[in-house]
Amino acid sequence: MKKAFFLSTYLLLALITHAENGYQLWLRYNTINDKQLLNQYLNSISGIQFDGKTPTLNAAKEELINGLQGLLGKKIIVQREFSNNSIVAGTPASSNIIASLQLKQQLQEAGKEGFIITTAKSNQKNIIAIASNTDAGVLYGVFHFLRLLQTNQNIQHVSLISFPKIQLRILNHWDNLNRTVERGYAGFSIWDWHKLPGYIDKRYIDYARSNASVGINGTVLTNVNANALVLTKTYLEKVKALADAFRPYGIKVYLTARFSSPIELGKLKTADPLDPEVQEWWKQKVNEIFSYIPDFGGFLVKANSEGQPGPQNYARTHADGANMLAEAVSPHGGIVMWRAFVYSNETPDDRAKQAYNEFKPLDGKFKKNVLVQVKNGPIDFQPREPFHPLFGAMPQTPLMMEYQLTQEYLGQSNHLVYEAPMFKECQDADTYVKGKGSTVAKVIDGTLEGHDLSGMAGVANIGNDINWTGHPFAQSNWYTLGRLAWDHTLSAEQIADEWIKQTFTNNSRFVNPVKSMMLASRDIMVSYMTPLGLHHIMGTGHHYGPAPWTNRSARADWNPIYYHKADSSGIGFDRTATGSNALAQYAPAVRKQYENVNTCPEEYLLWFHHVRWDHKMTSGRTLWDELCYKYNVGVDSVRWMQKKWNEQKTYVDNDRFEQVKMLLTIQEKEAVWWRNACLLYFQTYSKNPIPAQYEKPDQTLEYYHALLFPFAPGNG
Ligand code: GCV
């Protein structure tokens, strides 16, 4: 009896925690184990009725069948005639049943990509309709319906409408043609250029499915530090193969355009955007691209930044460069995403000011099919930055958001950092340019200034690692990009909640603690890396680990000392009127709050101010003591995450449990490293002791100085 009990408990546990390698991401369709709910679903779903045979509708149908079969644990019948409790999916064009339902008004509201999921009555029968105006919308609706089941929602009276708030929802791959990935921490590029176009890796399809499941509708295949070769016939054939594989999933392909391509490929003497021959070269090149890929999306361009060629090489402006490409892609319906990430060592001004200085005067000078793509903050994807001052400053230009999913400065793929709170912090920030409520979100979704074009991009964290992103929790950042671009009003908590349920389990004993870890993780990372507004104090080149002492990089603005400005009086970058006056780039209401050391939010204190070591913080501690406190809270909080995770062993499969456990052990070590190295180094200026209650660094500053990482990943 006892033995039988143990055996069945074991079998049950084995069932619950069978090995998983993370490849399925959040698209796991394991049978629902809440028996009551399962019965309810089984009673509500008798089969599916799915007319229409386009590649996108076929993909949607296949997903619905597979998803339902997995989740419900039974064979799903594709019905010719619908019956009671059928799921009927389609557009008014593909399905007579959908056309016959009274959905006209909702469909109008849903627009091009939106969908409706609703219970309805047709021919005296109860059905669940998944309806859209387009095939892609049906696909999004199918994924959403499956998400409802995966997250155990009640579908008995389902009635919802959903449509994207942002038009271009795009992954930016910084993938090189040799398959290395700039700032990639999850292995090599998933694009196997050598085997393309002949070999279509199943991963490409799963990549497209995963993107479509969260509404991502575009992918830039190549690094912004671009290689012109991708525009040659040989590579365009490969790009075409990828575009063909992604098309059924509603995903358009974009490429990065190296500005000097007319010289490198076309053997022209110049790449001057105002030169007629150059313009003609691009037109012909674009025609060629569209002959391979009729729905090619357009170009993403990094120009005159970090050594990339651009229009300024010919004394032309960014607008001249962008407009030339925009003109070439315009007849085909293409767009240009022109990056605002520019800064120059030759410019003696504060790096945080340079993008604004260069781009603000160009407002109104870009063609209609150009978006300017702006990073969330003015420096470079730091653990915490204030919002970029360009948001709100270019009312006549659609500004596109660029987030970084790959955690270049955020512990790479070693640290558990859920980025949604960081993205939300930026989006919810008020630019005040049109009075209170002029949030960054309204700038990028186009509603603040009435732009039709809108976009959100994320630098991909995807590689050929079996689980795609290296750290199992890094998958949540990919997921977040799609969900937030679709609906930026979703909260970080909602997104975490649904991601956890789909990726692991609906068991609240797991969901709640893991959600609390995820939601706290970004602030925890800020605390042990760059608290109180510190920034850019990581190792040069590879950007791995702390190196606030670095002062020998070729460029002044690549040196951490440029950013923290620690000296015997204090620490921090004065960006007020007494310093670089970067604050002048923000609206008066923002400026007013930040320019006063006593009203500036403490999380941005050292970003905007050089502050005395003995400055009294709101906690009553001196700045130095607060710094010690923050670094220690960061380390303690990683230990708290470790404890929380260790309590999850019974709710998660062994493989992923162990992986996360090992990674948290690394994270704890690295948090200690950050704390010790930074405090020891800043102490050489503050000359204050580390308060007695805190752990003392177990190594010397020299030890930390001497650490080298010649083969750190992602560094070219
Ligand atoms: C693609 C940072 C990164 C670079 C990256 C650059 C950019 O500087 O370290 O690797 O280059 O941003 O966004 O263009």
Side-chain angles (χ1 to χ4, degrees), residues 468-483:
W468 302 82
T469 56
H471 198 304
F473 275 78
Q475 296 176 355
S476 66
N477 295 329
W478 175 6
Y479 184 87
T480 294
L481 175 83
R483 296 294 285 142

Side-chain angles (χ1 to χ4, degrees), residues 472-518:
F473 275 78
Q475 296 176 355
S476 66
N477 295 329
W478 175 6
Y479 184 87
T480 294
L481 175 83
R483 296 294 285 142
L484 270 189
W486 185 275
D487 182 0
H488 57 69
T489 66
L490 288 173
S491 71
E493 184 182 354
Q494 280 169 291
I495 297 171
D497 190 84
E498 53 183 57
W499 178 79
I500 297 169
K501 288 175 174 166
Q502 293 170 87
T503 307
F504 291 101
T505 170
N506 276 268
N507 189 332
S508 60
R509 292 200 194 148
F510 181 88
V511 175
N512 295 335
V514 170
K515 197 167 30 174
S516 69
M517 282 168 62
M518 287 175 71

Side-chain angles (χ1 to χ4, degrees), residues 410-556:
L410 273 53
Q412 304 182 353
S413 60
N414 288 352
H415 295 202
L416 191 165
V417 181
Y418 172 52
E419 296 182 313
M422 177 165 101
F423 300 165
K424 289 291 291 185
E425 185 174 287
C426 175
Q427 286 171 199
D428 294 346
D430 202 335
T431 68
Y432 283 95
V433 288
K434 287 187 136 183
K436 197 167 162 41
S438 311
T439 58
V440 171
K442 288 187 189 160
V443 175
I444 58 168
D445 74 8
T447 55
L448 194 69
E449 303 293 350
H451 291 301
D452 289 338
L453 265 184
S454 59
M456 187 188 284
V459 178
N461 57 354
I462 298 162
N464 68 352
D465 192 300
I466 188 74
N467 74 8
W468 302 82
T469 56
H471 198 304
F473 275 78
Q475 296 176 355
S476 66
N477 295 329
W478 175 6
Y479 184 87
T480 294
L481 175 83
R483 296 294 285 142
L484 270 189
W486 185 275
D487 182 0
H488 57 69
T489 66
L490 288 173
S491 71
E493 184 182 354
Q494 280 169 291
I495 297 171
D497 190 84
E498 53 183 57
W499 178 79
I500 297 169
K501 288 175 174 166
Q502 293 170 87
T503 307
F504 291 101
T505 170
N506 276 268
N507 189 332
S508 60
R509 292 200 194 148
F510 181 88
V511 175
N512 295 335
V514 170
K515 197 167 30 174
S516 69
M517 282 168 62
M518 287 175 71
L519 290 172
S521 62
R522 185 283 184 123
D523 269 332
I524 293 172
M525 178 261 314
V526 171
S527 294
Y528 64 73
M529 279 190 189
T530 52
L532 303 174
L534 285 172
H535 51 286
H536 215 285
I537 55 172
M538 66 292 146
T540 299
H542 49 60
H543 297 170
Y544 171 65
W549 44 81
T550 301
N551 58 6
R552 295 220 181 118
S553 291
R555 296 175 54 148

Side-chain angles (χ1 to χ4, degrees), residues 194-402:
H194 192 64
K195 287 208 179 85
L196 281 165
Y199 186 82
I200 301 299
D201 194 322
K202 181 170 179 295
R203 254 194 199 243
Y204 304 151
I205 309 299
D206 289 328
Y207 166 85
R209 284 177 56 232
S210 311
N211 281 329
S213 75
V214 289
I216 290 171
N217 63 1
T219 177
V220 183
L221 298 176
T222 43
N223 192 353
V224 287
N225 291 333
N227 188 330
L229 275 182
V230 79
L231 302 179
T232 58
K233 181 175 185 292
T234 313
Y235 277 91
L236 288 177
E237 282 168 355
K238 298 169 192 281
V239 173
K240 172 187 164 33
L242 288 175
D244 290 345
F246 300 159
R247 190 169 297 111
Y249 296 89
I251 293 162
K252 273 193 183 187
V253 157
Y254 301 76
L255 291 174
T256 47
R258 185 163 165 83
F259 204 78
S260 50
S261 300
I263 303 175
E264 289 164 38
L265 304 180
K267 304 287 171 238
L268 300 190
K269 289 210 171 54
T270 175
D272 180 350
L274 299 194
D275 183 298
E277 257 193 293
V278 173
Q279 294 171 349
E280 186 54 29
W281 186 87
W282 277 110
K283 278 192 184 141
Q284 293 311 324
K285 182 47 74 184
V286 164
N287 291 345
E288 186 189 351
I289 297 173
F290 276 93
S291 74
Y292 287 106
I293 309 150
D295 57 352
F296 178 65
F299 294 122
L300 170 66
V301 186
K302 172 176 177 179
N304 294 117
S305 172
E306 299 186 326
Q308 294 302 303
Q312 293 176 341
N313 298 21
Y314 309 96
R316 311 294 185 198
T317 68
H318 285 289
D320 293 330
N323 290 344
M324 174 199 55
L325 291 175
E327 202 143 295
V329 294
S330 167
H332 304 275
I335 56 144
V336 172
M337 297 166 283
W338 193 270
R339 293 177 88 228
F341 179 71
V342 294
Y343 65 102
S344 157
N345 192 38
E346 277 78 56
T347 310
D349 213 347
D350 177 2
R351 168 171 166 186
K353 291 166 67 179
Q354 293 185 32
Y356 178 103
N357 287 346
E358 278 192 45
F359 278 85
K360 162 101 182 132
L362 300 177
D363 189 30
K365 302 218 160 84
F366 291 97
K367 290 211 174 286
K368 282 218 154 356
N369 55 336
V370 177
L371 298 105
V372 171
Q373 184 168 306
V374 184
K375 289 188 181 182
N376 56 296
I379 294 289
D380 189 11
F381 300 136
Q382 296 302 296
R384 173 165 272 130
E385 298 196 31
F387 68 90
H388 200 300
L390 272 175
F391 292 118
M394 296 183 65
Q396 299 178 69
T397 314
L399 296 188
M400 184 165 171
M401 175 63 79
E402 179 175 317

